[in-house]
Amino acid sequence: RSTLFPYTTLFRSPYRSWQQSKTKQAPKLAAKVSATDWKAKSIKYQALSDQKISSSQSGILKAEASLNNSTAGNMASRAELDKAWTAFWAAKKYLNDADLIQKEADALFYDFNYKDSYYKYKSSSETTKKVGGKLLQLKIYLKKSNQLQ
């Protein structure tokens, strides 16, 4: 007992301290990897949101030009044209919402809050999908209005 005691303590102590130090470093490493993943995801959705907003703005401009050039010859045609204008204003509202959400995401991103910025960019991207839906409705109403003349 007296001859083995110092050696067993010697070999056990460094292992325990090494093991404890490893468990303390693991969460730090995981947090760093996690932050990098959120940043990459945020950058990806930032680009996607930018692209969708830009194409939606183009679609809004084309739709507005089509609506401004449209006339209604009768009441049924006028009703469809009114529906088209309603869809247009809804699309503009969704586009404005997407733009505001993206600006909020930009502020979060520049504050290094990548996780929240990712969710905001994703929300902005989802909102632009609603713009596309309203523009599709607008085209249908406009086509129907033209057919009823």
Side-chain angles (χ1 to χ4, degrees):
R1 177 180 129 108
S2 63
T3 57
L4 291 177
F5 180 70
Y7 292 107
T8 56
T9 329
L10 178 67
F11 289 118
R12 265 191 278 160
S13 297
Y15 177 74
R16 284 189 183 149
S17 65
W18 174 80
Q19 189 178 25
Q20 288 173 350
S21 70
K22 282 302 246 184
T23 57
K24 288 179 184 176
Q25 290 175 356
K28 290 179 186 176
L29 182 62
K32 188 173 182 177
V33 169
S34 178
T36 303
D37 289 344
W38 285 115
K39 184 178 180 181
K41 288 179 180 182
S42 186
I43 290 170
K44 176 184 171 186
Y45 269 92
Q46 180 185 31
L48 185 63
S49 181
D50 280 342
Q51 181 184 20
K52 287 185 176 184
I53 286 175
S54 179
S55 67
S56 293
Q57 287 170 336
S58 175
I60 291 281
L61 291 173
K62 290 176 185 176
E64 187 173 22
S66 294
L67 284 168
N68 284 330
N69 291 329
S70 296
T71 57
N74 56 44
M75 293 301 284
S77 176
R78 182 73 197 156
E80 293 302 313
L81 194 54
D82 286 344
K83 289 178 188 176
W85 274 107
T86 301
F88 171 77
W89 290 113
K92 278 195 78 139
K93 182 200 176 301
Y94 285 135
L95 180 60
N96 186 54
D97 290 349
D99 194 42
L100 290 174
I101 294 168
Q102 187 176 29
K103 287 177 183 172
E104 291 172 4
D106 288 341
L108 290 167
F109 187 85
Y110 292 119
D111 283 341
F112 306 104
N113 189 345
Y114 301 124
K115 183 177 179 181
D116 290 342
S117 69
Y118 160 76
Y119 286 115
K120 286 285 186 177
Y121 286 129
K122 190 172 181 180
S123 176
S124 175
S125 182
E126 293 296 318
T127 303
T128 57
K129 288 181 182 178
K130 295 177 183 178
V131 174
K134 289 298 176 182
L135 291 176
L136 183 61
Q137 283 180 344
L138 183 149
K139 287 179 184 178
I140 293 168
Y141 293 138
L142 205 53
K143 184 177 180 180
K144 193 170 181 182
S145 173
N146 289 335
Q147 289 172 345
L148 291 172
Q149 285 192 31

